[in-house]
Amino acid sequence: TIVFSTEGDLYLTRLPGNQQTDVMTAMKLTTTVGNALQPKLNPVNPYLLAYSATYSGVREVYLMDLRPCPSSSSNAIGNIIPMGAPGTPGGPALRLTYTPGGIRSVVGW
């Protein structure tokens, strides 16, 4: 799995393995006014993604759980699929830092 940043947004893709079915077109993870930068996948739990973003004007650290919402199919109402809480599977990113001047970068886990 690869997460990369381009034009201020994050994308997820997967490199092909031994089978052609492993190929995945890049999927956009963020669509925001601010810039999302420096994504880092957790080496132990690769579904957890930390990154920095300027959503509030200063750069802060966010956590995104890349797993799908476990209740998305059972709780769907028509075409509306409920999202999880921030930082949970299927939910929006959870803001981890609240610093007045922002942070410089996400270095690693």
Side-chain angles (χ1 to χ4, degrees), residues 3 23 37 54 76 80 88 94 105:
V3 177
V23 176
L37 307 163
T54 57
I80 301 171
T88 63
L94 174 67
S105 64

Side-chain angles (χ1 to χ4, degrees), residues 7-63:
E7 298 180 3
D9 285 307
L10 300 179
Y11 292 81
L12 173 91
T13 190
R14 179 173 53 232
L15 290 178
N18 295 335
Q19 301 174 356
Q20 286 297 96
T21 57
D22 289 343
V23 176
M24 184 175 109
T25 303
M27 178 176 64
K28 196 171 193 178
L29 296 175
T30 60
T31 302
T32 61
V33 175
N35 290 320
L37 307 163
Q38 301 167 318
K40 306 284 187 216
L41 285 169
N42 184 310
V44 177
N45 299 308
Y47 52 85
L48 293 177
L49 172 69
Y51 65 96
S52 62
T54 57
Y55 301 150
S56 63
V58 296
R59 190 179 295 178
E60 299 288 357
V61 176
Y62 293 82
L63 175 70

Side-chain angles (χ1 to χ4, degrees), residues 67-90:
R67 296 175 293 181
C69 184
S71 61
S72 62
S73 60
S74 62
N75 291 338
I77 302 170
N79 290 334
I80 301 171
I81 298 173
M83 284 193 336
T88 63

